[in-house]
């Protein structure tokens, strides 16, 4: 029995070692402005409480559209908080993601306060809200993009354009297949697909997918160029059966079930969709089909051509033949360049009485922006904290991208070799900055121009500045820098302008700096009382260390104390002598009288002694005891 158990355990371990483990796709949903995790009905969908934001305030939400999630709070970003505000989500596994952002409203909008702002994902501008978006009950209430996340984080930023305050209802980060929506050459890490339009053909109005795991499909409202649904005699075919997609369908999850609605026409030879697009853009078009018409039983019974903007892109489409049978899905994809403001898709029947289509997806192809060197981004964040940068600067997200919204006071250059942006200039003069200059500023290794003048920056000039070999202009004038000028600044061989005037610096100017005054360099060290050593400044005396200066000060204090003590003792002694002399002067007559009286008494006693003198015999024997 024991042997059988061991063999069973060994077999289970052996099987587990060779059976691949299944890991569910990463999914993160944030209810912006929510203090606690919540679930929404009817699907009991889980939403995390609000986290990861860089600023802003939360309040109750006004939902602009019925297709938005049933959430009741939002986060908004007033311009006083800065022009750029972001959500930074850490620990996101590497992979391909659908990132969806739903907008909200703080109050019922008017023309003057409707929030119009830009949205970027991973530094790439993906959407700009247009006037009137809040009055449409369709897919304009959200933006969706398909992006690759490679550095373990997801950055979603909102850029104010000065018209209303950006307000966000929710954020969703949903992992999709790494090969999903592969449109061919040019697809990959360098591109972002922004959802422009989704149409569920045959549906009366837009709908929000109930299980939150699929797509948001707009209503079928552009067919045959008829604006009002139901004004044509076209026949709408629908099915309640779930159609299993063929392997080539680029859905969010493998072998997903596709419930399809089909659109067909009887009284017109073709079926046409026309929709507005932005001009001079590239679009990836995905057309979904499934043959569910009971009257079609095999191949060759329904054949049609498809043209896009007048050009025939697909010929002889036979859904049954190409999908492999009845009730099977077929997806066609084409990338087109659109120069105008409209996109027209036309289906022309070749065999059969009419054409049909299930759904249409249109994505704008956006070239992904290259990011700024991560070391320099972190250095700027340290600088922001050390200088106490005002909120109006923002400085959230990436300093150089999107290129339409760079950080204020930061100049960027693109390195085509590394395909990265770097920082080559800082212009923060006269901005009311306080705090100190951190050593991390040396990590901005491409700096050429730095102007921090006319602020209230304190502390020492970091010696690490001397490590920025490319530095040409350094202006730190009119601050409160103290201490000495670092010797390392003498190694800045490229520097042309160095302004340190108007501070509290002291000590000798480094010889290497003084020696370059004749080499067309402009240096200014004036208004620093403690500086010396070059023409225009005082001559330097013997150099004393800080310890020596303290010793001299203490010795001087001790000497002054000793002199004061001696003067005090001399004064007291002199005072006592003078007092004794005064007392002696007052008592002289009395002392003279006493002297005369003593002498007279002695003379009297002397005379009486001679008169009464007797011998021992006369006085008798001495008494002994």
């Amino acid at each position: 029995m024991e042997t059988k158990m061991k063999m069973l355990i060994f077999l289970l371990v052996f099987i587990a070692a060779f059976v691949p483990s299944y890991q569910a796709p990463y999914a993160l949903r944030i209810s912006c402005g929510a203090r606690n995790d919540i679930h929404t009905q009817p699907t009991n969908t889980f939403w995390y409480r609000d986290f990861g934001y860089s600023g802003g305030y939360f309040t109750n939400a006004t939902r602009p559209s019925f297709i938005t999630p049933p959430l009741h709070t939002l986060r908004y970003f007033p311009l006083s908080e800065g022009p750029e505000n972001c959500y930074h989500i850490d620990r996101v596994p590497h992979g391909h993601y659908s990132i969806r952002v739903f907008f909200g409203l703080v109050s019922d909008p008017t023309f003057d306060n409707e929030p119009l702002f830009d949205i970027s994902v991973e530094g790439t501008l993906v959407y700009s809200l247009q006037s009137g978006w809040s009055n449409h009950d369709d897919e304009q209430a959200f933006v969706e993009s398909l992006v690759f996340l490679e550095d373990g984080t997801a950055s979603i930023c909102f850029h104010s354009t000065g018209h209303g305050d950006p307000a966000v209802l929710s954020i969703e980060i949903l992992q999709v297949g790494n090969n999903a929506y592969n449109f061919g050459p040019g697809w990959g890490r360098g591109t972002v697909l922004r959802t422009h339009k989704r149409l569920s053909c045959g549906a009366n109005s837009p709908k929000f997918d109930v299980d939150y795991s699929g797509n948001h499909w707009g209503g079928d409202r552009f067919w045959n160029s008829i604006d009002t649904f139901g004004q044509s005699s076209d026949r709408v075919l629908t099915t309640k059966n779930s159609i299993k997609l063929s392997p080539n369908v680029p859905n969010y999850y493998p072998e997903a079930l596709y419930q399809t609605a089909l659109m067909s026409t009887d009284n017109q030879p073709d079926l046409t969709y026309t929709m507005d697009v932005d001009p001079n853009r590239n679009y990836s078009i995905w057309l979904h089909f499934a043959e569910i018409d009971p009257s079609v039983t095999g191949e060759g019974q329904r054949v049609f051509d498809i043209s896009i903007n007048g050009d025939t892109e697909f010929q002889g489409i036979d859904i049954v033949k190409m999908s492999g049978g009845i009730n099977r899905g077929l997806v066609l994809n084409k990338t087109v360049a659109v120069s105008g403001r409209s996109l027209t898709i036309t289906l022309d029947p070749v065999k059969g009485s009419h054409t049909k289509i299930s759904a249409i997806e249109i994505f704008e192809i956006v070239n992904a922006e290259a990011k700024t060197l991560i070391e320099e981004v972190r250095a700027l964040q340290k600088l922001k904290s050390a200088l106490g940068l005002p909120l109006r600067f923002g400085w959230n997200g990436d300093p150089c991208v999107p290129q339409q919204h760079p950080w204020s006071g930061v100049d960027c250059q693109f390195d085509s070799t590394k395909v990265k942006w770097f920082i080559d200039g800082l212009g923060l003069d006269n901005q009311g900055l306080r705090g100190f200059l951190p050593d991390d500023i040396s990590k901005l290794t491409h700096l050429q121009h730095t102007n921090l003048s006319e602020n209230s920056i304190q502390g020492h000039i970091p010696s690490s500045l001397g490590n920025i070999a490319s530095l040409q202009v350094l202006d730190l004038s009119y601050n409160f820098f103290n201490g000495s000028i670092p010797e390392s600044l003498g190694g800045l061989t490229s520097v042309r302008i160095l302004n340190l005037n108007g501070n509290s610096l002291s000590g000798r100017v480094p010889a290497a700096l003084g020696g370059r005054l004749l080499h067309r360099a402009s240096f200014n060290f004036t208004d620093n009382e403690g500086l010396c050593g070059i023409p225009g400044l005082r001559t330097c005396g013997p150099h004393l260390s800080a310890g020596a200066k303290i010793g001299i000060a203490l010795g001087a204090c001790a000497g002054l104390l000793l002199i004061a003590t001696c003067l005090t003792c001399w004064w007291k002694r002199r005072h006592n002598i003078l007092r004794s002399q005064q007392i002696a002067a007052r008592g002289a007559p009395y002392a003279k009288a006493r002297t005369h009286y003593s002498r007279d008494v002695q003379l009297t006693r002397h005379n009486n002694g001679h008169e009464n003198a007797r011998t021992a015999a006369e006085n008798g024997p001495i008494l002994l005891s």
Side-chain angles (χ1 to χ4, degrees):
M1 183 67 180
E2 184 178 354
T3 303
K4 291 182 179 180
M5 288 296 296
K6 289 182 179 179
M7 292 181 63
L8 179 60
I9 294 173
F10 174 79
L11 182 61
L12 292 175
V13 172
F14 180 81
I15 293 174
F18 288 92
V19 174
S21 60
Y22 173 76
Q23 185 176 1
Y26 178 91
L28 174 67
R29 298 180 176 89
I30 300 174
S31 176
C32 300
R35 291 293 190 91
N36 300 298
D37 299 339
I38 60 175
H39 292 79
T40 55
Q41 299 304 321
T43 58
N44 201 36
T45 302
F46 178 77
W47 299 83
Y48 282 97
R49 64 184 181 276
D50 200 2
F51 73 97
Y53 47 83
S54 64
Y57 304 93
F58 64 89
T59 186
N60 293 329
T62 298
R63 292 166 57 198
S65 169
F66 72 89
I67 68 170
T68 54
L71 303 172
H72 305 289
T73 60
L74 58 74
R75 179 166 293 275
Y76 68 100
F77 305 97
L79 187 58
S80 59
E81 292 286 307
E84 289 87 33
N85 286 277
C86 306
Y87 275 79
H88 297 286
I89 311 302
D90 296 326
R91 296 186 294 276
V92 179
H94 293 197
H96 196 197
Y97 287 85
S98 168
I99 296 181
R100 300 188 289 201
V101 180
F102 285 84
F103 314 128
L105 298 170
V106 177
S107 59
D108 292 333
T110 64
F111 176 79
D112 294 328
N113 66 4
E114 183 182 34
L116 304 179
F117 53 95
D118 294 343
I119 301 96
S120 67
V121 176
E122 291 295 290
T124 300
L125 186 68
V126 296
Y127 198 66
S128 298
L129 270 73
Q130 304 298 319
S131 179
W133 71 268
S134 59
N135 298 321
H136 291 78
D137 283 333
D138 58 16
E139 59 270 25
Q140 293 188 37
F142 76 97
V143 62
E144 178 191 58
S145 298
L146 293 167
V147 301
F148 281 93
L149 302 179
E150 299 294 329
D151 57 2
T153 64
S155 178
I156 304 151
C157 296
F158 310 97
H159 309 273
S160 176
T161 59
H163 196 289
D165 298 327
V168 188
L169 186 75
S170 67
I171 295 174
E172 297 175 84
I173 303 175
L174 309 174
Q175 190 172 13
V176 301
N178 283 341
N179 203 41
Y181 293 100
N182 185 341
F183 56 81
W187 177 87
R189 269 77 176 162
T191 57
V192 174
L193 289 181
R194 180 185 71 83
T195 303
H196 178 78
K197 185 73 66 177
R198 278 199 179 96
L199 300 178
S200 180
C201 301
N204 289 329
S205 60
K207 61 181 180 179
F208 185 72
D209 56 303
V210 178
D211 60 359
Y212 292 92
S213 63
N215 301 325
H216 302 272
W217 293 95
D220 185 9
R221 56 183 61 185
F222 297 101
W223 49 290
N224 286 333
S225 301
I226 296 177
D227 293 332
T228 304
F229 183 84
Q231 292 184 0
S232 76
S233 59
D234 296 344
R235 182 162 56 92
V236 177
L237 301 178
T238 62
T239 178
K240 295 182 179 180
N241 297 324
S242 295
I243 307 302
K244 193 167 186 177
L245 296 177
S246 55
N248 63 332
V249 176
N251 215 318
Y252 280 167
Y253 300 108
E255 299 183 352
L257 296 182
Y258 189 147
Q259 186 173 355
T260 183
L262 301 178
M263 181 67 198
S264 64
T265 116
D266 286 334
N267 62 343
Q268 295 186 15
D270 57 21
L271 177 63
T272 302
Y273 284 84
T274 300
M275 59 206 75
D276 295 333
V277 294
D278 295 326
N280 303 318
R281 308 287 175 88
N282 293 325
Y283 291 90
S284 180
I285 301 172
W286 299 77
L287 307 175
H288 299 254
F289 304 90
E291 186 58 80
I292 62 173
D293 188 349
S295 63
V296 176
T297 58
E299 299 178 8
Q301 299 180 25
R302 189 195 312 278
V303 182
F304 52 91
D305 297 336
I306 302 174
S307 62
I308 300 176
N309 277 356
D311 297 327
T312 302
E313 302 292 352
F314 301 98
Q315 289 183 320
I317 301 301
D318 187 334
I319 301 174
V320 177
K321 181 178 180 180
M322 298 176 68
S323 67
I326 302 295
N327 294 344
R328 291 184 64 86
L330 170 68
V331 179
L332 302 177
N333 168 245
K334 184 67 179 180
T335 299
V336 297
V338 180
S339 58
R341 292 185 174 274
S342 63
L343 178 66
T344 301
I345 301 173
T346 303
L347 288 75
D348 295 311
V350 175
K351 292 184 180 180
S353 60
H354 55 268
T355 61
K356 62 173 55 180
I357 188 170
S358 299
I360 300 174
E361 294 180 286
I362 300 174
F363 298 94
E364 180 186 343
I365 301 174
V366 181
N367 291 327
E369 293 273 15
K371 291 187 176 182
T372 307
L373 292 169
I374 187 62
E375 297 83 4
E376 300 201 356
V377 176
R378 291 170 180 168
L380 285 179
Q381 292 289 0
K382 290 285 186 66
L383 188 66
K384 171 186 176 181
S385 177
L387 295 180
L389 210 66
L391 290 176
R392 57 185 168 83
F393 275 83
W395 278 31
N396 295 305
D398 192 292
C400 301
V401 292
Q403 297 182 52
Q404 299 87 340
H405 299 280
W407 286 4
S408 176
V410 176
D411 297 329
C412 301
Q413 284 289 337
F414 185 70
D415 187 338
S416 57
T417 303
K418 296 182 179 179
V419 195
K420 291 286 186 180
W421 290 88
F422 60 82
I423 311 302
D424 73 336
L426 291 176
L428 298 173
D429 53 302
N430 197 23
Q431 298 296 331
L433 305 181
R434 300 180 179 273
F436 63 96
L437 205 55
D439 289 332
D440 291 84
I441 193 172
S442 64
K443 295 180 180 178
L444 301 174
T445 56
H446 299 87
L447 269 183
Q448 297 182 24
H449 306 271
T450 301
N451 189 351
L452 300 174
S453 63
E454 299 186 70
N455 287 293
S456 299
I457 307 173
Q458 304 177 10
H460 291 69
I461 297 175
S463 60
S464 59
L465 273 174
N467 298 329
I468 308 177
S470 59
L471 200 58
Q472 299 178 17
V473 176
L474 178 60
D475 192 344
L476 303 179
S477 59
Y478 298 108
N479 281 283
F480 295 101
F481 287 106
N482 54 42
S484 60
I485 300 176
E487 292 286 343
S488 61
L489 295 191
L492 297 176
T493 57
S494 299
V495 70
R496 296 182 290 102
I497 298 176
L498 177 61
N499 294 334
L500 302 179
N501 52 300
N503 285 284
S504 300
L505 299 172
S506 60
R508 185 185 298 273
V509 175
L513 290 176
R516 297 220 307 275
L517 290 175
L518 301 178
H519 292 79
R520 298 182 180 180
S522 173
F523 295 170
N524 193 342
F525 303 117
T526 60
D527 295 331
N528 288 280
E529 295 183 0
L531 284 182
C532 63
I534 62 173
L537 301 178
R538 65 181 180 84
T539 303
C540 294
H543 179 71
L544 296 175
S545 65
K549 292 178 180 179
I550 294 174
I552 291 174
L554 292 177
C557 292
L560 290 174
L561 181 61
L562 180 60
I563 293 172
T565 302
C566 292
L567 288 175
T568 301
C569 293
W570 174 83
W571 181 82
K572 286 186 176 181
R573 183 177 180 185
R574 178 65 178 168
H575 179 72
N576 291 337
I577 293 172
L578 292 175
R579 185 177 180 186
S580 300
Q581 290 176 351
Q582 292 175 358
I583 293 174
R586 288 198 305 269
Y590 171 75
K592 183 177 180 182
R594 282 188 58 124
T595 303
H596 292 168
Y597 174 76
S598 299
R599 187 185 59 188
D600 292 343
V601 171
Q602 291 176 0
L603 290 174
T604 303
R605 286 181 178 175
H606 179 73
N607 293 331
N608 291 337
H610 284 284
E611 293 179 356
N612 300 321
R614 296 180 180 178
T615 63
E618 292 176 349
N619 290 331
I622 298 174
L623 298 176
L624 300 174
S625 61

